[in-house]
Amino acid sequence: MKIVLVAGARPNFMKISPIVKEIEKTEGIEYFLVHTGQHYDKKMSELFFKELDIPVPNANLGVGSSSHACQTADIMRGFEPILINQSPDAVLVVGDVNSTIACGLVAVKMGIKLIHVEAGLRSFDRTMPEEINRVLTDCISDYLFCTEQSGVDNLIKEGISEEKIFLVGNVMIDTLLEYKVKAEKSDILESTGIYKNNFCVLTLHRPSNVDNPLILNRIFDAVEIIQKDVPVIFPIHPRTYQNIISFGLDEKLKNLLNLKIIDPLGYLDFLKLMSCAKFIMTDSGGIQGESTMLGVPCMTLRYNTERPITIDMGLNQLVGNNVNKIVDGYKKIKNGEFKNSKIPPLWDGLTSRRIIKILENDFNK
Ligand code: UD1
């Protein structure tokens, strides 16, 4: 059995790593790894391959940044000849980035089975590019692997046949558990001059937060208040950095003495940072899941989440991008007003094993 694996953007790399390793341990399955090049900066891509022991991709499409339509089209054009050449039994895509839907579409149109890892998540907000990618990818997939029960329920409501849906847990957690001990050795606290349990980690990259100067400014108003109380460490996404400069918000940020802006971090440094933080503020999807696993309070700077289990079982709260709501969320954390967190079912480090077992059994039928 031959599977083409696709990884394109930073949040894909920690999902593909345990799948590659599981396939390498399994006899009778071979893989061909494709990097679409959606993310290409060393710190957004190459570093993750090194740290997470992902082999050098067999092909890199080198598409880079452009509009959604051009990026998606470029990936499709680059990916089709690879499938013609490799003629795999299946294509496996992860998550919800443009690379996910672009490669998925190419595969199904060539009659190749499509496997979607992290299927069924829904924010029910169709203004998010990722939500469109999620809905469309699920609709054309043959195997839908879900991280949480809400994903299964959403797919069934959308009319997807139950035989295609598997609740297997979270591959991101496989990676977190595998690299947790290694991450402890990171010296990121010393190098940024902060102390365990006495800082907040901030990440921002969602277009709905960072593409609008008024909203971005409002989020920084809240950060201004919070950083008076607790240091805020802000590993900055390239798109957010570009926008801060073009909106002229850099002067404002220079005056926030307890806000530390740093380059995007590799996996190990970031994991150490999250696990030692007093709390996290983020608009990322994956970080909500990681905070749940680590038992660290998380304020999600969005009005919805496609991962409701992080609120039901973890310490995640939705605070949107309104100053008062963000500051109120912070006060709750400061006063310790939260329930005990629990680890969601099947977030046990064995998800990629379950996925490969299911595929192996099915393909050998
Ligand atoms: C993408 C994903 C998003 C994911 C996020 C994580 C889509 C639709 N979005 O958003 O789901 O949460 O990645 O990072 O697929 N850039 C660089 N260097 C890079 C990559 C990007 O400078 O290595 C800059 C580019 O100038 C570009 C901007 O960042 O303009 C946006 O990059 P892009 O990959 O299009 O989307 P993200 O916002 O990163």
Side-chain angles (χ1 to χ4, degrees):
M1 174 184 179
K2 184 173 194 177
I3 308 183
V4 168
L5 306 174
V6 176
R10 184 171 62 178
N12 290 165
F13 306 139
M14 55 292 270
K15 295 172 193 167
I16 214 72
S17 162
I19 294 172
V20 169
K21 286 174 197 145
E22 199 52 43
I23 294 181
E24 280 176 348
K25 281 191 244 159
T26 313
E27 250 178 62
I29 306 188
E30 55 174 307
Y31 68 86
F32 184 92
L33 178 61
V34 177
H35 189 333
T36 64
Q38 178 175 346
H39 282 178
Y40 44 86
D41 281 357
K42 257 198 170 143
K43 287 180 176 157
M44 300 289 286
S45 175
E46 197 184 312
L47 183 55
F48 287 78
F49 277 75
K50 273 204 192 116
E51 288 191 345
L52 300 177
D53 309 299
I54 309 171
V56 176
N58 302 96
N60 191 325
L61 309 182
V63 297
S65 304
S66 48
S67 69
H68 281 266
C70 290
Q71 191 176 59
T72 307
D74 288 344
I75 297 168
M76 290 179 74
R77 289 173 76 107
F79 193 57
E80 191 178 48
I82 290 179
L83 295 193
I84 293 171
N85 252 318
Q86 296 297 319
S87 57
D89 300 289
V91 167
L92 183 149
V93 295
V94 297
D96 55 14
V97 300
N98 286 343
S99 304
T100 311
I101 179 63
C103 295
L105 256 181
V106 175
V108 291
K109 294 228 173 158
M110 292 177 67
I112 297 167
K113 295 247 183 274
L114 182 61
I115 303 161
H116 186 203
V117 173
E118 209 179 69
L121 297 179
R122 296 288 181 270
S123 65
F124 302 103
D125 173 3
R126 295 247 173 137
T127 65
M128 280 177 83
E130 295 82 0
E131 181 75 352
I132 305 294
N133 294 342
R134 288 191 277 261
V135 171
L136 296 182
T137 306
D138 286 340
C139 175
I140 54 174
S141 291
D142 299 283
Y143 293 86
L144 298 102
F145 291 112
C146 299
T147 54
E148 56 174 272
Q149 185 60 40
S150 76
V152 175
D153 299 341
N154 293 332
L155 294 172
I156 291 172
K157 272 188 218 137
E158 287 172 20
I160 295 189
S161 152
E162 279 189 53
E163 290 147 38
K164 296 184 186 173
I165 307 170
F166 304 89
L167 180 62
V168 288
N170 193 335
V171 281
M172 280 186 97
I173 302 304
D174 290 7
T175 299
L176 186 151
L177 293 174
E178 184 179 348
Y179 287 93
K180 203 163 175 250
V181 172
K182 207 167 177 189
E184 276 164 20
K185 298 200 188 89
S186 149
D187 64 358
I188 188 70
L189 300 195
E190 295 78 5
S191 62
T192 38
I194 43 172
Y195 299 96
K196 193 170 176 177
N197 289 330
N198 187 33
F199 65 91
C200 157
V201 185
L202 169 66
T203 81
L204 286 173
H205 75 278
R206 233 155 263 283
S208 55
N209 281 333
V210 307
D211 287 0
N212 178 325
L214 291 176
I215 293 177
L216 191 55
N217 192 31
R218 219 156 66 198
I219 292 174
F220 289 137
D221 283 341
V223 171
E224 180 171 6
I225 297 169
I226 293 169
Q227 58 93 45
K228 287 187 181 144
D229 241 19
V230 60
V232 175
I233 308 302
F234 184 18
I236 199 161
H237 189 287
R239 117 186 239 120
T240 310
Y241 178 74
Q242 287 158 13
N243 289 353
I244 287 173
I245 302 293
S246 69
F247 302 154
L249 286 169
D250 45 327
E251 277 307 312
K252 172 180 179 138
L253 297 191
K254 274 187 203 140
N255 293 325
L256 310 189
L257 300 179
N258 238 350
L259 169 72
K260 212 169 242 206
I261 298 182
I262 56 176
D263 281 343
L265 292 176
Y267 187 80
L268 298 174
D269 283 341
F270 193 69
L271 180 52
K272 168 86 178 223
L273 207 58
M274 282 194 294
S275 60
C276 293
K278 187 177 168 70
F279 64 100
I280 296 167
M281 282 194 277
T282 188
D283 58 11
S284 148
I287 292 174
Q288 297 172 49
E290 289 167 334
S291 78
T292 294
M293 191 66 200
L294 296 168
V296 175
C298 180
M299 286 203 275
T300 295
L301 303 169
R302 289 170 48 191
Y303 291 99
N304 53 52
T305 178
E306 58 288 337
R307 294 165 165 84
I309 206 163
T310 61
I311 296 178
D312 299 342
M313 299 191 73
L315 303 181
N316 188 21
Q317 45 170 329
L318 297 178
V319 294
N321 51 36
N322 165 291
V323 181
N324 291 338
K325 278 194 89 176
I326 299 173
V327 173
D328 283 351
Y330 166 60
K331 283 184 187 151
K332 269 195 205 154
I333 292 170
K334 189 176 168 185
N335 300 329
E337 288 170 30
F338 40 75
K339 53 188 185 346
N340 286 333
S341 68
K342 288 195 204 111
I343 293 173
L346 302 173
W347 290 22
D348 57 1
L350 300 172
T351 296
S352 44
R353 186 168 306 171
R354 282 189 279 270
I355 291 173
I356 299 304
K357 273 263 153 323
I358 291 167
L359 295 174
E360 221 186 344
N361 288 342
D362 232 55
F363 274 79
N364 286 334
K365 261 183 202 162

